[in-house]
């Protein structure tokens, strides 16, 4: 039991330290943190629900979604490993401004809302880290809103695939060594049904457009999923 507890403390200390938190504050935050799991397709928070905890993704992917015209849900941001979510909601009125959907099975490090807010106020390193994440997230959300609100279904598919590419690449870059070469293709660890959901189109429409993208050598359809080709171009969408 001691070994398990000590490993958990060491792990949380490392996570918070990587976000710029001072050692003493990281130790205190670690004592209040818990690890939870969610299954793919689970709605973690629904729009308007009170948020009780800040979440950091250990493994997996979580999408922020809004419901727009015709009742379809569109993604604004895709969070992957080593990123966090619900940060801006807690800085506001404490209620979810969007739906938070587990895109894959996820493992999450959680911190109670009161402890999170205290950490933001008291630790400059943590506040600076959050500011950097929020800046990137706002830019991505604005671009995605324009695509979803003003474009046709074909462009929504392109926007959704580009969102997947950006979210996964940012996570890979955060954990890769500087000398590691960058590949120009990316296998999406998602079912086509889930990708269609992220694109805000039906499975039938998604199959039609993904087939056209394959003919243009933008994607490669494989038994285990969709592989994006010319990855640098996909990332250039946003």
């Amino acid at each position: 039991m001691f070994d398990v507890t000590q490993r958990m403390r060491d792990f949380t200390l490392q996570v918070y330290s990587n976000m710029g938190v001072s050692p003493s504050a990281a130790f205190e935050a670690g004592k209040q943190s818990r690890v939870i799991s969610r299954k793919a397709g689970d709605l973690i928070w629904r729009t308007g629900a009170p948020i009780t905890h800040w979440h950091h993704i250990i493994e997996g992917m979580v999408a922020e979604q809004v419901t727009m015209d015709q009742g379809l849900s569109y993604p604004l941001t895709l969070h992957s490993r080593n990123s966090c979510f619900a940060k801006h909601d807690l800085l506001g009125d404490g209620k979810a401004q969007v739906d938070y959907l587990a895109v894959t099975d996820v493992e999450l490090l959680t911190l109670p809302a009161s402890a999170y807010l205290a950490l933001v106020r008291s630790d400059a390193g943590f506040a600076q880290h959050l500011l950097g994440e929020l800046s990137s997230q706002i830019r991505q959300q604005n671009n995605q809103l324009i695509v979803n609100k003003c474009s046709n279904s074909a462009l929504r598919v392109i926007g959704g695939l580009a969102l997947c590419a950006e979210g996964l690449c940012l996570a890979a870059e955060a954990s890769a060594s500087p000398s590691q070469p960058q590949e120009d293709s990316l296998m999406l660890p998602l079912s086509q049904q889930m990708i269609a959901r992220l694109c805000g189109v039906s499975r039938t429409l998604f199959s039609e457009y993904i087939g056209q993208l394959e003919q243009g050598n933008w994607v490669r359809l494989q038994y285990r999923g969709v592989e994006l080709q010319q990855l640098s171009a996909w990332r250039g969408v946003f």
Side-chain angles (χ1 to χ4, degrees):
M1 181 66 179
F2 172 79
D3 289 342
V4 173
T5 302
Q6 187 60 48
R7 284 199 298 270
M8 178 63 181
R9 289 177 179 172
D10 292 343
F11 171 74
T12 56
L13 182 62
Q14 185 62 51
V15 169
Y16 287 114
S17 296
N18 289 342
M19 290 186 282
V21 181
S22 65
S24 58
F27 179 77
E28 291 301 319
K31 290 194 295 185
Q32 302 182 68
S33 298
R34 297 292 183 271
V35 174
I36 63 173
S37 299
R38 292 290 183 267
K39 293 292 186 182
D42 284 356
L43 197 58
I44 300 172
W45 299 111
R46 188 181 297 277
T47 302
I51 293 184
T52 59
H53 291 73
W54 166 84
H55 292 66
H56 171 86
I57 301 176
I58 301 171
E59 289 292 343
M61 302 169 66
V62 173
E64 294 188 20
Q65 295 192 143
V66 293
T67 301
M68 298 175 68
D69 55 304
Q70 300 177 348
L72 291 174
S73 294
Y74 302 133
L76 295 179
T77 305
L78 189 64
H79 300 283
S80 51
R81 184 163 51 92
N82 292 328
S83 63
C84 59
F85 61 93
K87 47 188 175 288
H88 56 289
D89 311 77
L90 288 170
L91 293 173
D93 61 3
K95 295 181 179 179
Q97 300 174 21
V98 296
D99 291 343
Y100 289 97
L101 173 72
V103 177
T104 65
D105 291 349
V106 291
E107 191 172 35
L108 306 165
L109 180 71
T110 69
L111 183 67
S114 57
Y116 164 77
L117 293 172
L119 190 60
V120 172
R121 289 191 295 265
S122 64
D123 195 280
F126 185 56
Q128 185 175 1
H129 172 83
L130 292 179
L131 184 61
E133 279 203 5
L134 283 169
S135 177
S136 175
Q137 182 178 325
I138 289 171
R139 174 180 59 82
Q140 191 180 76
Q141 286 182 346
N142 287 339
N143 291 332
Q144 193 69 12
L145 267 176
I146 293 171
V147 168
N148 288 330
K149 189 66 177 177
C150 304
S151 68
N152 57 30
S153 297
L155 289 180
R156 285 175 180 164
V157 170
I158 293 173
L161 291 171
L163 186 68
C164 291
E166 187 66 13
L168 288 169
C169 286
L170 288 175
E173 289 169 355
S175 59
S177 62
S179 59
Q180 185 172 331
Q182 297 294 317
E183 297 183 1
D184 205 34
S185 64
L186 176 69
M187 176 61 70
L188 302 182
L190 306 170
S191 68
Q192 291 194 32
Q193 182 66 40
M194 179 58 77
I195 300 173
R197 183 174 179 178
L198 290 175
C199 293
V201 299
S202 67
R203 180 68 172 83
T204 301
L205 279 176
F206 179 77
S207 296
E208 176 185 343
Y209 294 130
I210 201 72
Q212 295 175 17
L213 288 168
E214 185 179 33
Q215 291 176 11
N217 297 318
W218 289 102
V219 302
R220 179 184 299 166
L221 300 182
Q222 301 186 23
Y223 174 76
R224 59 195 182 102
V226 176
E227 184 179 42
L228 300 181
Q229 305 297 302
Q230 305 180 58
L231 182 57
S232 54
W234 283 108
R235 295 195 68 186
V237 171
F238 294 139

